[in-house]
Every structure is written in C-alpha cells, then in structure tokens.
Coordinates of all heavy atoms in Angstrom, one line a residue:
M864 N -9.0 19.6 -2.5 CA -8.6 18.6 -1.5 C -9.9 18.0 -0.8 O -9.9 16.9 -0.5 CB -7.8 19.3 -0.4 CG -7.2 18.4 0.6 SD -5.9 17.4 -0.2 CE -5.3 16.6 1.1
K865 N -10.9 18.8 -0.7 CA -12.1 18.3 0.0 C -12.8 17.1 -0.8 O -13.2 16.2 -0.2 CB -13.2 19.4 0.2 CG -14.3 19.1 1.1 CD -15.1 20.3 1.4 CE -16.2 19.9 2.4 NZ -17.0 21.0 2.7
P866 N -12.9 17.2 -2.2 CA -13.5 16.0 -2.8 C -12.7 14.7 -2.6 O -13.2 13.6 -2.6 CB -13.5 16.4 -4.3 CG -13.4 17.9 -4.3 CD -12.6 18.3 -3.1
I867 N -11.4 14.8 -2.5 CA -10.5 13.6 -2.3 C -10.8 13.0 -1.0 O -10.9 11.8 -0.8 CB -9.1 14.0 -2.5 CG1 -8.8 14.4 -3.9 CG2 -8.2 12.8 -2.1 CD1 -7.4 14.9 -4.2
V868 N -10.9 13.9 0.1 CA -11.2 13.4 1.4 C -12.6 12.8 1.5 O -12.7 11.7 2.1 CB -11.1 14.6 2.4 CG1 -11.6 14.1 3.8 CG2 -9.7 15.1 2.5
L869 N -13.6 13.3 0.8 CA -14.9 12.7 0.8 C -14.9 11.4 0.0 O -15.6 10.5 0.4 CB -15.9 13.7 0.1 CG -16.2 15.0 0.9 CD1 -17.1 15.9 0.2 CD2 -16.9 14.6 2.3
L870 N -14.1 11.3 -1.0 CA -14.0 10.1 -1.8 C -13.4 9.0 -1.0 O -13.9 7.8 -0.9 CB -13.2 10.3 -3.1 CG -13.1 9.1 -4.0 CD1 -14.4 8.7 -4.5 CD2 -12.1 9.4 -5.1
L871 N -12.3 9.3 -0.2 CA -11.7 8.3 0.6 C -12.6 7.9 1.8 O -12.6 6.7 2.1 CB -10.4 8.9 1.2 CG -9.2 9.0 0.2 CD1 -8.0 9.7 0.8 CD2 -8.8 7.7 -0.4
L872 N -13.4 8.8 2.3 CA -14.3 8.5 3.4 C -15.4 7.6 2.9 O -15.8 6.6 3.5 CB -14.9 9.8 4.0 CG -15.8 9.6 5.2 CD1 -15.1 9.0 6.3 CD2 -16.4 10.9 5.6
A873 N -15.9 7.9 1.7 CA -17.0 7.0 1.1 C -16.4 5.6 0.8 O -17.1 4.6 1.1 CB -17.5 7.7 -0.2
A874 N -15.2 5.5 0.3 CA -14.6 4.2 0.1 C -14.4 3.4 1.4 O -14.6 2.2 1.4 CB -13.3 4.4 -0.7
A875 N -14.0 4.1 2.4 CA -13.8 3.4 3.7 C -15.2 2.9 4.3 O -15.3 1.8 4.8 CB -13.2 4.4 4.7
V876 N -16.2 3.7 4.1 CA -17.5 3.3 4.6 C -18.0 2.1 3.8 O -18.6 1.2 4.4 CB -18.6 4.5 4.5 CG1 -20.0 4.0 4.7 CG2 -18.2 5.5 5.6
I877 N -17.9 2.1 2.5 CA -18.3 1.0 1.7 C -17.5 -0.2 2.0 O -18.0 -1.3 2.0 CB -18.2 1.4 0.2 CG1 -19.2 2.4 -0.2 CG2 -18.3 0.2 -0.7 CD1 -19.0 3.1 -1.6
S878 N -16.2 -0.1 2.2 CA -15.4 -1.2 2.6 C -15.8 -1.8 3.9 O -15.8 -3.1 4.0 CB -13.9 -0.8 2.6 OG -13.5 -0.4 1.4
I879 N -16.0 -1.0 4.9 CA -16.4 -1.5 6.2 C -17.8 -2.2 6.1 O -18.0 -3.2 6.7 CB -16.4 -0.4 7.2 CG1 -14.9 0.0 7.5 CG2 -17.0 -0.8 8.5 CD1 -14.8 1.3 8.3
S880 N -18.7 -1.6 5.4 CA -20.1 -2.2 5.3 C -20.0 -3.4 4.5 O -20.8 -4.3 4.7 CB -21.0 -1.2 4.7 OG -20.7 -0.9 3.4
G881 N -19.1 -3.5 3.5 CA -19.0 -4.8 2.7 C -18.3 -5.8 3.5 O -18.5 -7.0 3.1
S882 N -17.6 -5.6 4.5 CA -16.9 -6.6 5.2 C -17.8 -7.3 6.3 O -17.4 -8.3 6.8 CB -15.6 -6.1 5.9 OG -16.0 -5.2 6.9
T883 N -18.9 -6.7 6.6 CA -19.8 -7.4 7.5 C -20.6 -8.5 6.7 O -21.2 -8.1 5.7 CB -20.8 -6.4 8.1 OG1 -21.5 -5.7 7.1 CG2 -20.0 -5.3 8.9
G884 N -20.4 -9.7 7.2 CA -21.0 -10.8 6.4 C -22.5 -11.1 6.9 O -22.9 -10.6 8.0
L885 N -23.1 -11.9 6.1 CA -24.5 -12.4 6.6 C -24.3 -13.6 7.5 O -23.3 -14.3 7.4 CB -25.3 -12.8 5.3 CG -25.6 -11.7 4.3 CD1 -26.2 -12.3 3.1 CD2 -26.4 -10.6 5.0
A886 N -25.3 -13.9 8.3 CA -25.2 -15.0 9.2 C -25.7 -16.2 8.5 O -26.8 -16.2 8.0 CB -26.1 -14.7 10.4
Y887 N -24.9 -17.3 8.5 CA -25.3 -18.5 7.9 C -25.2 -19.6 9.0 O -24.6 -19.4 10.0 CB -24.3 -18.9 6.8 CG -24.4 -18.0 5.6 CD1 -23.4 -17.1 5.3 CD2 -25.5 -18.0 4.7 CE1 -23.5 -16.2 4.2 CE2 -25.6 -17.2 3.7 CZ -24.6 -16.3 3.4 OH -24.7 -15.5 2.3
A888 N -25.8 -20.7 8.7 CA -25.8 -21.8 9.7 C -24.4 -22.4 9.7 O -23.7 -22.5 8.6 CB -26.8 -22.9 9.3
A889 N -23.9 -22.9 10.8 CA -22.6 -23.4 10.9 C -22.5 -24.8 10.2 O -23.4 -25.6 10.3 CB -22.2 -23.6 12.4
E890 N -21.5 -25.0 9.5 CA -21.3 -26.3 8.7 C -20.3 -27.2 9.4 O -19.8 -28.1 8.7 CB -20.9 -26.0 7.3 CG -22.0 -25.2 6.5 CD -21.6 -25.0 5.1 OE1 -20.6 -25.6 4.6 OE2 -22.3 -24.2 4.4
G891 N -19.8 -26.9 10.5 CA -18.9 -27.8 11.2 C -17.6 -27.1 11.5 O -17.1 -27.2 12.6
D892 N -17.0 -26.4 10.6 CA -15.7 -25.7 10.9 C -15.7 -24.4 10.2 O -16.5 -24.1 9.3 CB -14.5 -26.6 10.3 CG -14.5 -26.7 8.8 OD1 -15.5 -26.6 8.2 OD2 -13.4 -26.8 8.3
A893 N -15.0 -23.5 10.8 CA -14.9 -22.1 10.3 C -13.7 -21.8 9.5 O -13.0 -20.8 9.7 CB -15.1 -21.2 11.5
A894 N -13.2 -22.7 8.7 CA -12.0 -22.6 7.9 C -12.1 -21.5 6.9 O -11.2 -20.7 6.6 CB -11.6 -23.9 7.3
G895 N -13.3 -21.3 6.3 CA -13.5 -20.3 5.3 C -13.4 -18.9 5.9 O -12.9 -18.0 5.2
S896 N -13.8 -18.7 7.1 CA -13.7 -17.4 7.7 C -12.2 -17.0 7.9 O -11.9 -15.9 7.7 CB -14.4 -17.4 9.1 OG -14.3 -16.2 9.7
S897 N -11.4 -17.9 8.4 CA -10.0 -17.6 8.6 C -9.3 -17.3 7.3 O -8.4 -16.5 7.2 CB -9.3 -18.7 9.4 OG -9.2 -19.9 8.7
D898 N -9.6 -18.1 6.2 CA -9.0 -17.9 5.0 C -9.4 -16.5 4.4 O -8.5 -15.9 3.8 CB -9.4 -19.0 4.0 CG -8.8 -20.3 4.3 OD1 -7.8 -20.3 5.0 OD2 -9.3 -21.3 3.8
S899 N -10.6 -16.1 4.6 CA -11.0 -14.8 4.0 C -10.4 -13.7 4.8 O -10.0 -12.7 4.2 CB -12.6 -14.7 4.1 OG -13.0 -14.7 5.4
L900 N -10.1 -13.9 6.1 CA -9.5 -12.9 6.8 C -8.0 -12.8 6.4 O -7.4 -11.7 6.5 CB -9.6 -13.1 8.3 CG -11.0 -12.9 8.9 CD1 -11.1 -13.2 10.4 CD2 -11.4 -11.4 8.7
K901 N -7.4 -13.9 6.1 CA -6.0 -13.9 5.6 C -5.9 -13.1 4.3 O -5.0 -12.3 4.1 CB -5.5 -15.3 5.4 CG -5.1 -16.1 6.6 CD -4.5 -17.4 6.2 CE -4.2 -18.3 7.4 NZ -3.6 -19.6 7.0
I902 N -6.8 -13.4 3.4 CA -6.8 -12.7 2.1 C -7.0 -11.2 2.3 O -6.4 -10.3 1.7 CB -7.9 -13.3 1.2 CG1 -7.4 -14.7 0.8 CG2 -8.1 -12.4 -0.1 CD1 -8.4 -15.5 0.0
L903 N -7.9 -10.9 3.3 CA -8.2 -9.4 3.5 C -6.9 -8.8 4.1 O -6.6 -7.7 3.7 CB -9.4 -9.3 4.5 CG -9.7 -7.8 4.9 CD1 -10.2 -7.1 3.7 CD2 -10.8 -7.9 6.0
G904 N -6.3 -9.5 5.1 CA -5.1 -8.9 5.7 C -4.0 -8.8 4.7 O -3.2 -7.8 4.7
A905 N -3.8 -9.8 3.8 CA -2.7 -9.7 2.8 C -3.0 -8.6 1.8 O -2.1 -7.8 1.4 CB -2.7 -11.0 2.0
G906 N -4.3 -8.4 1.4 CA -4.6 -7.3 0.5 C -4.4 -5.9 1.2 O -3.9 -5.0 0.5
L907 N -4.7 -5.8 2.4 CA -4.5 -4.5 3.1 C -3.0 -4.3 3.3 O -2.5 -3.1 3.1 CB -5.2 -4.5 4.5 CG -6.7 -4.3 4.5 CD1 -7.2 -4.5 5.9 CD2 -7.0 -2.9 4.0
A908 N -2.2 -5.3 3.6 CA -0.8 -5.2 3.8 C -0.1 -4.6 2.5 O 0.6 -3.7 2.5 CB -0.1 -6.5 4.2
F909 N -0.5 -5.3 1.4 CA 0.1 -4.8 0.1 C -0.5 -3.5 -0.4 O 0.2 -2.6 -0.9 CB 0.0 -5.9 -1.0 CG 0.5 -5.5 -2.3 CD1 1.8 -5.2 -2.4 CD2 -0.3 -5.3 -3.4 CE1 2.4 -4.7 -3.6 CE2 0.2 -4.9 -4.6 CZ 1.5 -4.6 -4.7
G910 N -1.8 -3.4 -0.3 CA -2.4 -2.2 -0.8 C -2.0 -0.9 -0.1 O -1.7 0.1 -0.7
L911 N -1.9 -1.0 1.3 CA -1.5 0.2 2.0 C 0.0 0.5 1.7 O 0.3 1.7 1.7 CB -1.8 0.0 3.5 CG -3.3 0.0 3.8 CD1 -3.5 -0.3 5.3 CD2 -4.0 1.3 3.5
A912 N 0.8 -0.5 1.7 CA 2.2 -0.3 1.4 C 2.4 0.3 0.0 O 3.2 1.3 -0.2 CB 3.0 -1.6 1.5
A913 N 1.7 -0.2 -1.0 CA 1.8 0.4 -2.3 C 1.2 1.8 -2.4 O 1.8 2.7 -3.1 CB 1.1 -0.5 -3.3
F914 N 0.2 2.1 -1.7 CA -0.4 3.4 -1.7 C 0.6 4.4 -1.0 O 0.9 5.5 -1.5 CB -1.7 3.4 -0.8 CG -2.3 4.8 -0.7 CD1 -3.0 5.3 -1.8 CD2 -2.4 5.5 0.4 CE1 -3.7 6.5 -1.7 CE2 -3.0 6.7 0.5 CZ -3.6 7.2 -0.6
G915 N 1.2 4.0 0.1 CA 2.1 4.9 0.8 C 3.4 5.1 -0.1 O 4.0 6.2 -0.1
A916 N 3.9 4.0 -0.7 CA 5.0 4.1 -1.6 C 4.7 5.0 -2.8 O 5.6 5.7 -3.2 CB 5.5 2.7 -2.1
G917 N 3.5 4.9 -3.3 CA 3.2 5.8 -4.5 C 3.2 7.3 -4.1 O 3.7 8.1 -4.9
I918 N 2.7 7.6 -2.9 CA 2.7 9.0 -2.5 C 4.1 9.4 -2.2 O 4.5 10.5 -2.7 CB 1.8 9.2 -1.2 CG1 0.3 9.0 -1.6 CG2 2.0 10.5 -0.6 CD1 -0.6 8.9 -0.4
G919 N 4.9 8.6 -1.5 CA 6.3 9.0 -1.3 C 7.1 9.1 -2.6 O 7.9 10.0 -2.7
L920 N 6.8 8.2 -3.5 CA 7.6 8.3 -4.8 C 7.3 9.5 -5.6 O 8.1 10.1 -6.2 CB 7.3 7.0 -5.6 CG 8.2 6.8 -6.8 CD1 9.6 6.7 -6.4 CD2 7.8 5.5 -7.5
G921 N 6.0 10.0 -5.5 CA 5.6 11.2 -6.1 C 6.4 12.4 -5.5 O 6.9 13.3 -6.2
Q922 N 6.5 12.5 -4.2 CA 7.2 13.5 -3.5 C 8.7 13.5 -3.8 O 9.3 14.5 -4.1 CB 7.0 13.5 -2.0 CG 5.5 13.6 -1.6 CD 5.0 15.0 -1.8 OE1 5.8 16.0 -1.7 NE2 3.8 15.2 -2.1
V923 N 9.3 12.3 -3.7 CA 10.7 12.2 -3.9 C 11.1 12.3 -5.3 O 12.1 13.0 -5.7 CB 11.2 10.8 -3.4 CG1 12.6 10.5 -3.8 CG2 11.1 10.7 -1.9
G924 N 10.3 11.9 -6.2 CA 10.5 12.0 -7.7 C 10.5 13.5 -8.1 O 11.4 13.9 -8.9
A925 N 9.5 14.2 -7.6 CA 9.5 15.7 -8.0 C 10.7 16.4 -7.4 O 11.3 17.2 -8.1 CB 8.2 16.2 -7.4
A926 N 11.0 16.1 -6.2 CA 12.2 16.8 -5.6 C 13.5 16.4 -6.3 O 14.4 17.1 -6.5 CB 12.2 16.6 -4.1
G927 N 13.5 15.1 -6.6 CA 14.7 14.6 -7.3 C 14.9 15.2 -8.7 O 16.1 15.5 -9.1
L928 N 13.9 15.3 -9.4 CA 14.0 16.0 -10.7 C 14.4 17.4 -10.6 O 15.2 17.9 -11.4 CB 12.7 15.9 -11.5 CG 12.3 14.5 -12.0 CD1 10.9 14.6 -12.6 CD2 13.3 14.1 -13.1
A929 N 14.0 18.1 -9.6 CA 14.4 19.5 -9.3 C 15.9 19.5 -9.0 O 16.7 20.4 -9.5 CB 13.6 20.1 -8.2
V930 N 16.4 18.6 -8.2 CA 17.8 18.5 -7.8 C 18.7 18.2 -9.0 O 19.7 18.8 -9.2 CB 18.0 17.5 -6.7 CG1 19.5 17.2 -6.5 CG2 17.4 18.0 -5.4
I931 N 18.2 17.2 -9.8 CA 19.0 16.8 -11.0 C 19.0 18.0 -12.0 O 20.1 18.2 -12.7 CB 18.4 15.6 -11.6 CG1 18.6 14.4 -10.7 CG2 19.0 15.3 -13.0 CD1 18.0 13.1 -11.1
S932 N 18.0 18.8 -12.1 CA 18.0 19.9 -13.1 C 19.0 21.0 -12.7 O 19.6 21.7 -13.5 CB 16.6 20.5 -13.3 OG 16.2 21.1 -12.1
E933 N 19.2 21.1 -11.3 CA 20.2 22.1 -10.8 C 21.6 21.6 -10.8 O 22.5 22.3 -11.1 CB 19.7 22.5 -9.4 CG 18.5 23.4 -9.4 CD 18.1 23.8 -8.0 OE1 18.9 23.6 -7.1 OE2 17.0 24.3 -7.8
N934 N 21.8 20.3 -10.4 CA 23.1 19.7 -10.3 C 23.1 18.3 -10.8 O 22.7 17.4 -10.0 CB 23.6 19.8 -8.9 CG 25.0 19.5 -8.7 OD1 25.7 19.1 -9.7 ND2 25.5 19.5 -7.5
P935 N 23.4 18.0 -12.0 CA 23.3 16.6 -12.6 C 24.3 15.7 -11.8 O 24.1 14.5 -11.9 CB 23.7 16.8 -14.0 CG 23.5 18.2 -14.3 CD 23.7 19.0 -13.1
A936 N 25.2 16.1 -11.1 CA 26.2 15.2 -10.4 C 25.5 14.5 -9.3 O 26.0 13.5 -8.8 CB 27.4 16.1 -9.9
L937 N 24.4 15.0 -8.8 CA 23.7 14.4 -7.7 C 22.7 13.3 -8.1 O 21.9 12.9 -7.3 CB 22.9 15.4 -6.9 CG 23.8 16.5 -6.2 CD1 23.0 17.5 -5.5 CD2 24.8 15.8 -5.2
Q938 N 22.7 12.9 -9.4 CA 21.8 11.9 -9.9 C 21.8 10.6 -9.2 O 20.8 10.0 -8.9 CB 22.0 11.7 -11.4 CG 21.0 10.8 -12.1 CD 21.3 10.7 -13.6 OE1 22.2 11.2 -14.1 NE2 20.4 10.0 -14.2
S939 N 23.0 10.1 -8.8 CA 23.1 8.8 -8.1 C 22.5 8.9 -6.7 O 21.9 7.9 -6.3 CB 24.6 8.4 -8.0 OG 25.3 9.4 -7.3
K940 N 22.6 10.0 -6.1 CA 22.0 10.1 -4.8 C 20.5 10.1 -4.8 O 19.8 9.6 -4.0 CB 22.5 11.4 -4.0 CG 23.9 11.3 -3.6 CD 24.3 12.5 -2.8 CE 25.8 12.4 -2.5 NZ 26.3 13.5 -1.7
V941 N 20.0 10.7 -5.9 CA 18.5 10.8 -6.1 C 18.0 9.3 -6.4 O 17.0 8.9 -5.8 CB 18.1 11.7 -7.2 CG1 16.7 11.5 -7.7 CG2 18.4 13.2 -6.9
F942 N 18.7 8.6 -7.1 CA 18.3 7.2 -7.4 C 18.3 6.4 -6.1 O 17.5 5.4 -5.9 CB 19.2 6.5 -8.4 CG 18.9 7.0 -9.8 CD1 19.9 7.1 -10.7 CD2 17.7 7.4 -10.2 CE1 19.7 7.5 -12.0 CE2 17.4 7.8 -11.5 CZ 18.4 7.9 -12.4
I943 N 19.2 6.6 -5.2 CA 19.3 5.9 -3.9 C 18.0 6.2 -3.1 O 17.4 5.4 -2.5 CB 20.5 6.3 -3.1 CG1 21.8 5.7 -3.8 CG2 20.4 5.8 -1.7 CD1 23.1 6.2 -3.2
F944 N 17.6 7.5 -3.1 CA 16.4 7.9 -2.3 C 15.1 7.3 -3.0 O 14.2 6.8 -2.3 CB 16.2 9.4 -2.2 CG 17.2 10.0 -1.2 CD1 18.1 11.0 -1.7 CD2 17.2 9.6 0.1 CE1 19.0 11.5 -0.8 CE2 18.0 10.2 1.0 CZ 18.9 11.1 0.6
V945 N 15.1 7.3 -4.3 CA 14.0 6.6 -5.0 C 13.9 5.1 -4.7 O 12.8 4.6 -4.4 CB 14.0 6.9 -6.5 CG1 13.0 6.0 -7.3 CG2 13.8 8.4 -6.8
G946 N 15.0 4.5 -4.6 CA 15.1 3.0 -4.3 C 14.6 2.8 -2.8 O 14.0 1.8 -2.5
M947 N 15.0 3.7 -1.9 CA 14.5 3.6 -0.6 C 13.0 3.6 -0.4 O 12.4 2.9 0.3 CB 15.2 4.6 0.3 CG 16.7 4.4 0.5 SD 17.5 5.8 1.3 CE 16.7 5.7 2.9
V948 N 12.4 4.5 -1.2 CA 10.9 4.7 -1.2 C 10.3 3.4 -1.8 O 9.3 2.9 -1.3 CB 10.5 6.0 -1.9 CG1 9.0 6.0 -2.0 CG2 11.0 7.2 -1.1
E949 N 10.8 2.9 -2.9 CA 10.3 1.8 -3.5 C 10.4 0.5 -2.7 O 9.6 -0.4 -2.8 CB 10.9 1.5 -4.9 CG 10.5 2.6 -5.9 CD 11.1 2.3 -7.3 OE1 11.9 1.4 -7.4 OE2 10.8 3.1 -8.2
S950 N 11.3 0.5 -1.8 CA 11.5 -0.7 -0.9 C 10.3 -0.9 0.0 O 10.0 -2.0 0.5 CB 12.8 -0.6 -0.1 OG 12.7 0.4 0.8
I951 N 9.6 0.2 0.3 CA 8.4 0.1 1.2 C 7.3 -0.9 0.4 O 6.7 -1.7 1.1 CB 7.8 1.5 1.4 CG1 8.8 2.3 2.3 CG2 6.5 1.4 2.2 CD1 8.4 3.7 2.4
A952 N 7.2 -0.7 -0.8 CA 6.2 -1.5 -1.5 C 6.7 -3.0 -1.6 O 5.9 -3.9 -1.5 CB 6.0 -1.0 -3.0
I953 N 8.0 -3.2 -1.7 CA 8.6 -4.6 -1.6 C 8.3 -5.2 -0.3 O 8.0 -6.4 -0.2 CB 10.1 -4.5 -2.0 CG1 10.2 -4.1 -3.4 CG2 10.7 -5.9 -1.8 CD1 11.6 -3.8 -3.9
Y954 N 8.5 -4.4 0.8 CA 8.1 -4.9 2.1 C 6.7 -5.4 2.2 O 6.3 -6.3 2.9 CB 8.5 -3.9 3.2 CG 9.9 -3.6 3.4 CD1 10.3 -2.3 3.8 CD2 10.9 -4.5 3.1 CE1 11.6 -2.0 3.9 CE2 12.3 -4.2 3.2 CZ 12.6 -2.9 3.6 OH 13.9 -2.6 3.7
G955 N 5.8 -4.6 1.6 CA 4.4 -4.9 1.6 C 4.1 -6.3 0.9 O 3.3 -7.1 1.3
I956 N 4.8 -6.5 -0.3 CA 4.7 -7.7 -1.0 C 5.2 -8.9 -0.1 O 4.6 -10.0 -0.1 CB 5.4 -7.7 -2.3 CG1 4.8 -6.7 -3.3 CG2 5.5 -9.1 -3.0 CD1 5.5 -6.5 -4.6
V957 N 6.3 -8.7 0.6 CA 6.9 -9.8 1.4 C 5.9 -10.1 2.5 O 5.6 -11.3 2.8 CB 8.2 -9.3 2.0 CG1 8.7 -10.3 3.1 CG2 9.2 -9.2 0.9
M958 N 5.3 -9.1 3.2 CA 4.3 -9.3 4.2 C 3.1 -10.0 3.7 O 2.5 -10.9 4.4 CB 3.9 -8.0 4.9 CG 5.0 -7.4 5.7 SD 5.7 -8.6 7.0 CE 4.3 -8.9 8.0
M959 N 2.7 -9.7 2.5 CA 1.5 -10.4 1.9 C 1.8 -11.9 1.7 O 1.0 -12.7 2.1 CB 1.2 -9.7 0.5 CG 0.1 -10.4 -0.2 SD -0.1 -9.8 -1.9 CE 1.3 -10.4 -2.7
F960 N 3.0 -12.2 1.2 CA 3.3 -13.6 1.0 C 3.5 -14.3 2.4 O 3.2 -15.5 2.5 CB 4.6 -13.8 0.2 CG 4.4 -13.5 -1.2 CD1 5.2 -12.7 -1.9 CD2 3.4 -14.1 -1.9 CE1 5.0 -12.4 -3.3 CE2 3.1 -13.9 -3.2 CZ 4.0 -13.0 -4.0
I961 N 4.0 -13.6 3.4 CA 4.1 -14.2 4.7 C 2.7 -14.5 5.3 O 2.4 -15.6 5.9 CB 4.9 -13.3 5.7 CG1 6.4 -13.3 5.3 CG2 4.7 -13.8 7.1 CD1 7.2 -12.4 6.0
I962 N 1.8 -13.6 5.1 CA 0.4 -13.8 5.6 C -0.3 -14.9 4.9 O -1.0 -15.8 5.5 CB -0.4 -12.5 5.5 CG1 0.1 -11.4 6.5 CG2 -1.9 -12.7 5.8 CD1 -0.4 -10.0 6.3
L963 N -0.1 -15.0 3.6 CA -0.8 -16.0 2.8 C -0.2 -17.4 3.0 O -0.8 -18.4 2.8 CB -0.8 -15.6 1.3 CG -1.7 -14.5 0.9 CD1 -1.6 -14.2 -0.5 CD2 -3.1 -14.8 1.3
G964 N 1.1 -17.4 3.4 CA 1.8 -18.7 3.6 C 1.5 -19.4 4.9 O 1.7 -20.5 5.1
Q965 N 0.9 -18.7 5.9 CA 0.6 -19.2 7.2 C -0.7 -20.1 7.1 O -1.6 -20.0 6.4 CB 0.4 -18.1 8.2 CG 1.6 -17.4 8.5 CD 1.4 -16.4 9.6 OE1 0.3 -16.0 10.0 NE2 2.5 -15.8 10.1

C-alpha cells in the first residue's frame, strides 16, 4: 500500500508544479488562460469521476460475483448495483461537456 500512496503523492506534486505557468507579457486579453482552466476543470471532472467509478466498480463487481456464485437468482439485483456505480462516470462526462460548453 505504501508504494501506491507514494506514487499518488508524486503524481500530485508533478501535476501541481506543472500547472504553474511562466510569466509572459500581456497580449491584450487573457482568453487563453480561461480556456486552459476550462480544459483543466473538464479533465479533472471526468478523470476523478472515472477514477472513483473504477474503484467502486471493482468493489461492487467482486461482491456481485460472490453473491451470484452463491445465489444465481440475485443476478438482476447485482446488475442494478453495477449500473448505479457506472452512472458516476456518466455524470463526470456530462459535467465535462457542461464545463466545455460554457
């Protein structure tokens, strides 16, 4: 578990240090800055939603396979729970399109 935490911490530090830009002379308007922040926000919205849905799907999928192996009649209920977890990623995609559409 410790190497994973260190890897995530290193990725966060690299991401934060990479998001600090260099100072350039002003060219009249700052439209490029707001566009880049929109893209960053859209990427974070979808990326974090997909990351959370992936972790949740792993947990629900493992438990669902255990339930189906014991009682195959509960297969439809397992599919409902899997669909609920996958909807989180769909919400992330919707938020991404909303952010990029503004």
